[in-house]
Amino acid sequence: MKDRGVLTVVSGFAGSGKGTIMKELLSRYDNYALSISATTRAPRPGEEHGKHYFFVGREEFEEMIRKDELLEYARYVENYYGTPRKYVEEMLGSGKDVILEIETQGALLVREKLPDTLLLFISPPSVQEIYNRLKKRGTETEENIRQRMTRAVTEAELAEQYDYLIINDDLEECIKQVHETIQAAHFRMDRSMEQLKKLQSEFAQYIKQ
Ligand code: 5GP
């Protein structure tokens, strides 16, 4: 039987390049599945329903909350964002390593529910760089950039509770580090208890002989 997949949450400041990193991981390796979130925010130019997000109205989102269809959800800069539960559970069960690209409050909720979740935080090397990348994207107003920078202060505090901080200075290096960290998580002791117990009981048998 295939091992259950590793659930990884990737968070990072707006403009951290995490979207590009996820895209590269999915195109290079076939063991990953990326969860698609539901959101009430309006699509940016080029974003597609069902590919980047499920773009829904506020009422529809609240209905999903009521029906307990979301693994977690949070408000971020005046909009709701949430992770549909069904896809995540199905993919983990089929052995895929599932990645959630979500903000920090949602990440910590996921870990409360599923304690063996791996939490990775990705950041550009400096705050100036974060601002520059947001500005360069050209899709946000100055007011929205300011709100996102303010939110980043809280994110930087909550990131203390994550397992790993990966600095995105060199994209190739960063993709490699994210991939290797997730693959190493397969062998974590808390996931390997069954195997260890089996060895312990074999030792017990051996000693008795
Ligand atoms: P953006 O509007 O830039 O696409 O996303 C804003 C923030 O919401 C990002 O930090 C992104 O990772 C986060 N986000 C996206 N989907 C979800 C989700 O399903 N749940 C939570 N908690 N955050 C999400």
Side-chain angles (χ1 to χ4, degrees):
M1 204 188 80
K2 234 185 152 191
D3 209 14
R4 188 176 158 83
V6 167
L7 178 60
T8 303
V9 169
V10 174
S11 304
F13 304 119
S16 62
K18 57 190 191 303
T20 312
I21 295 162
M22 297 307 103
K23 218 171 86 196
E24 287 303 315
L25 283 181
L26 287 173
S27 73
R28 292 181 195 191
Y29 307 99
D30 61 10
N31 58 302
Y32 293 114
L34 184 66
S35 156
I36 300 169
S37 297
T39 183
T40 58
R41 102 153 149 68
R44 292 188 188 122
E47 282 185 337
E48 287 173 40
H49 180 80
K51 185 171 173 203
H52 297 90
Y53 281 106
F54 296 108
F55 295 99
V56 298
R58 205 190 158 95
E59 274 178 19
E60 200 180 331
F61 197 99
E62 286 171 350
E63 181 73 10
M64 292 169 95
I65 300 174
R66 263 198 305 279
K67 289 188 177 156
D68 198 26
E69 288 173 3
L70 300 175
L71 178 60
E72 62 72 43
Y73 68 93
R75 277 185 76 87
Y76 177 95
V77 186
E78 291 167 8
N79 279 298
Y80 276 132
Y81 294 81
T83 307
R85 177 199 303 284
K86 196 162 169 259
Y87 177 82
V88 172
E89 283 174 356
E90 282 175 4
M91 287 296 124
L92 287 175
S94 74
K96 291 271 188 191
D97 293 332
V98 178
I99 302 180
L100 310 183
E101 190 198 319
I102 66 178
E103 52 68 68
T104 44
Q105 285 174 3
L108 296 173
L109 286 174
V110 173
R111 181 139 79 182
E112 262 175 42
K113 288 192 185 161
L114 305 167
D116 65 353
T117 304
L118 176 69
L119 301 190
L120 305 186
F121 199 89
I122 299 180
S123 176
S126 70
V127 170
Q128 185 61 48
E129 187 66 25
I130 296 169
Y131 179 82
N132 292 347
R133 289 189 196 185
L134 267 176
K135 191 89 183 145
K136 208 171 118 200
R137 195 153 79 185
T139 53
E140 254 69 51
T141 61
E142 198 56 47
E143 171 59 13
N144 190 281
I145 291 180
R146 204 188 57 79
Q147 288 176 331
R148 283 172 181 259
M149 291 297 281
T150 308
R151 175 66 182 240
V153 177
T154 318
E155 301 247 305
E157 279 166 12
L158 292 179
E160 285 181 16
Q161 297 174 56
Y162 277 53
D163 299 306
Y164 294 94
L165 172 66
I166 296 176
I167 302 293
N168 182 9
D169 206 355
D170 176 301
L171 182 63
E172 270 309 311
E173 192 59 24
C174 190
I175 294 166
K176 185 165 168 271
Q177 286 164 346
V178 172
H179 175 62
E180 288 175 355
T181 308
I182 298 174
Q183 292 320 302
H186 276 271
F187 309 106
R188 265 183 8 190
M189 195 53 90
D190 57 354
R191 288 176 55 92
S192 310
M193 268 308 166
E194 215 173 293
Q195 188 66 34
L196 186 66
K197 292 283 175 212
K198 180 174 162 284
L199 291 170
Q200 288 171 347
S201 80
E202 285 174 16
F203 268 123
Q205 284 294 335
Y206 172 85
I207 298 292
K208 260 199 245 157
Q209 281 165 14

